[in-house]
Amino acid sequence: TLIKDEGNYIFKVLPFTSYFNRKTWNVDAANNTTYNPIDKKLTIKDLVFFKDNQKLKINTIQNPEYKNLVSIDFEDILLNELISGFLPNLKGNYGTLEGNLAINNFIDNPSPIANIQVKDLILENTKMGEVKIVSKSEDDKIITDLNLNGDNVSLNIVADYFPNSKVDSFNAH
């Protein structure tokens, strides 16, 4: 549901059952999202999608150092179920997604910080291994380190992103 109340837009995902590729997912009824377009303040509380032990949790973190910091937690997410819900033609992609993605300044100039791991990654039925993506904010840039390690592959990519200028650079090893 979406309502407007005293200048705020309030959005609530009502309890439902969704079928992503015939897999049943639910949403936590306690969720609440509020956006004030005047001060551009976004608040997301307890937006949780779940199936069995898989959870995708979305919240904003209220902290004076950050502006509209959106935190997305991944717990035991099976990639094949997540991908098939949005791109059903992609088949043969597997793995378990864990970790957190924090996006500061979500509305005006998103600055993502990742701490994500994909265990037992399989792409188009090819076993790749484990992926780790770790970011940190340093001075005026975000440094992201992506590592893919498996039996037949070892890849390291370091990317610098400058949110204020929206410029990036990549180094692959």
Side-chain angles (χ1 to χ4, degrees), residues 21-166:
N21 195 29
R22 299 189 186 122
K23 310 293 183 196
T24 305
W25 283 76
N26 298 293
V27 65
D28 189 327
N31 75 84
N32 189 25
T33 300
T34 305
Y35 176 66
N36 184 309
I38 294 168
D39 66 8
K40 294 186 176 182
K41 183 175 182 181
L42 176 69
T43 304
I44 303 171
K45 184 173 183 247
D46 298 326
L47 184 54
V48 180
F49 299 92
F50 60 93
K51 177 190 176 288
D52 303 327
N53 63 335
Q54 300 179 75
K55 286 185 184 174
L56 176 68
K57 296 191 240 180
I58 306 171
N59 287 288
T60 50
I61 298 172
Q62 304 305 319
N63 184 324
E65 292 181 37
Y66 303 108
K67 182 177 179 186
N68 293 320
L69 178 61
V70 176
S71 177
I72 306 168
D73 292 316
F74 305 95
E75 296 180 16
D76 290 320
I77 301 290
L78 300 177
L79 285 182
N80 59 313
E81 290 189 17
L82 185 64
I83 292 170
S84 67
F86 299 99
L87 301 166
N89 292 334
L90 288 179
K91 297 189 184 332
N93 300 296
Y94 302 93
T96 304
L97 177 62
E98 295 272 349
N100 175 270
L101 177 63
I103 307 170
N104 189 31
N105 205 0
F106 186 80
I107 295 176
D108 293 326
N109 187 18
S111 302
I113 300 290
N115 187 5
I116 295 174
Q117 179 178 3
V118 179
K119 300 175 190 171
D120 302 319
L121 178 64
I122 297 173
L123 297 176
E124 296 184 6
N125 296 316
T126 301
K127 185 176 179 183
M128 302 300 289
E130 182 174 278
V131 175
K132 288 185 182 179
I133 304 170
V134 178
S135 303
K136 65 181 178 180
S137 182
E138 188 175 286
D139 299 323
D140 64 340
K141 67 182 172 182
I142 296 171
I143 303 168
T144 300
D145 191 8
L146 181 144
N147 287 289
L148 170 61
N149 290 303
D151 293 339
N152 299 313
V153 64
S154 179
L155 175 68
N156 174 252
I157 297 174
V158 177
D160 295 334
Y161 175 64
F162 299 85
N164 295 329
S165 64
K166 299 180 182 173

